[in-house]
Amino acid sequence: MAKLYFRYGAMNSGKSTGLLQAAFNYEERGQRVLLAKPGVDTKGDTDIVSRLGMTRSVDFLLSATTPVRELFAAHAAGDDPDALLEHMDQKPVACFLVDEAQFLTPAQVDDLFRIAVLDNVPVLAYGIRTDFLTHAFPGSRRLLEVAHTLEELKTICRCGRKAIFNTRRVGNKVVFDGDQVAIDGQDVWYESLCGSCYLEESGGRLGS
């Protein structure tokens, strides 16, 4: 039976790089993969973008209402109504890779589990556990509940300790209010911190 894997870490822990490396490893051995990410992640548009500079287009985007297993099945069979040729015979999918999985809904995560268990296709989901207020994203919470395998990808705080939290910055100012989702951009960026440095920045607060 295939498994659902959740590979998580703070910002800058190499999640997208790891996903692209996994896709390369499969394809180097002549196996077919499908890549997807939530459409709310506007960074890179339809590309998965690694902080090391590597990019790759996804096979499809996922909106909050996308039935993931249904769309996966269509692409796995070679069906794509948005393509020039709506159907092409394809080899079986060896692995399904999902970036920014924290933005999925719990129902979509359940679909990932079904793809692994019922369709026997390994699913590698990459994402972060918590937002800038240390609250779990709904998709990440569900992945922590149902994934067969949990793997932490580690990164380093500015003090040298292991970073586990993400702080949101607007310019050089650390902020502790705002919507849960704000994508990296010209004004907003994130810094990964250890628990001590996070508490120092937040004045001792965890969450809001």
Side-chain angles (χ1 to χ4, degrees):
M1 182 185 73
K3 294 181 179 180
L4 169 59
Y5 299 81
F6 182 34
R7 295 175 175 172
Y8 65 89
M11 303 289 285
N12 300 310
S13 59
K15 297 179 296 298
S16 296
T17 301
L19 183 153
L20 295 174
Q21 180 67 54
F24 174 83
N25 291 345
Y26 273 96
E27 292 178 332
E28 188 180 36
R29 290 158 179 79
Q31 296 180 310
R32 180 181 172 217
V33 298
L34 287 178
L35 279 65
K37 73 171 187 175
V40 69
D41 176 35
T42 55
K43 183 179 64 177
D45 193 19
T46 59
D47 288 343
I48 291 173
V49 179
S50 162
R51 294 178 189 276
L52 294 183
M54 298 181 293
T55 63
R56 173 167 173 168
S57 294
V58 297
D59 295 283
F60 52 90
L61 294 173
L62 304 169
S63 74
T65 59
T66 299
V68 177
R69 189 180 179 210
E70 181 180 319
L71 189 57
F72 168 82
H75 281 265
D79 297 330
D80 183 356
D82 297 322
L84 187 61
L85 295 175
E86 293 187 5
H87 176 80
M88 293 182 63
D89 291 335
Q90 298 276 12
K91 66 173 68 173
V93 174
C95 186
F96 182 35
L97 300 106
V98 182
D99 200 27
E100 304 292 354
Q102 71 272 8
F103 296 138
L104 299 177
T105 67
Q108 289 174 326
V109 172
D110 290 350
D111 260 358
L112 298 185
F113 185 84
R114 294 185 185 98
I115 290 168
V117 173
L118 300 179
D119 303 327
N120 200 33
V121 176
V123 179
L124 307 183
Y126 293 76
I128 59 178
R129 288 186 307 164
T130 58
D131 63 19
F132 70 111
L133 296 175
T134 72
H135 299 153
F137 285 95
S140 299
R141 182 184 297 114
R142 190 60 178 150
L143 280 160
L144 290 168
E145 292 168 344
V146 303
H148 297 91
T149 300
L150 303 173
E151 300 177 17
E152 183 181 15
L153 305 176
K154 298 178 178 62
T155 191
I156 302 300
C157 176
R158 62 193 180 198
C159 70
R161 300 186 184 97
K162 186 179 83 168
I164 58 173
F165 295 125
N166 305 296
T167 53
R168 177 181 294 173
R169 294 174 178 268
V170 177
N172 288 320
K173 180 183 178 183
V174 179
V175 296
F176 292 94
D177 53 22
D179 295 336
Q180 186 177 54
V181 178
I183 306 301
D184 269 341
Q186 186 173 359
D187 298 321
V188 175
W189 60 285
Y190 294 86
E191 182 182 9
S192 304
L193 297 178
C194 69
S196 295
C197 291
Y198 184 92
L199 290 174
E200 180 180 347
E201 290 286 355
S202 68
R205 290 187 301 164
L206 277 177
S208 60

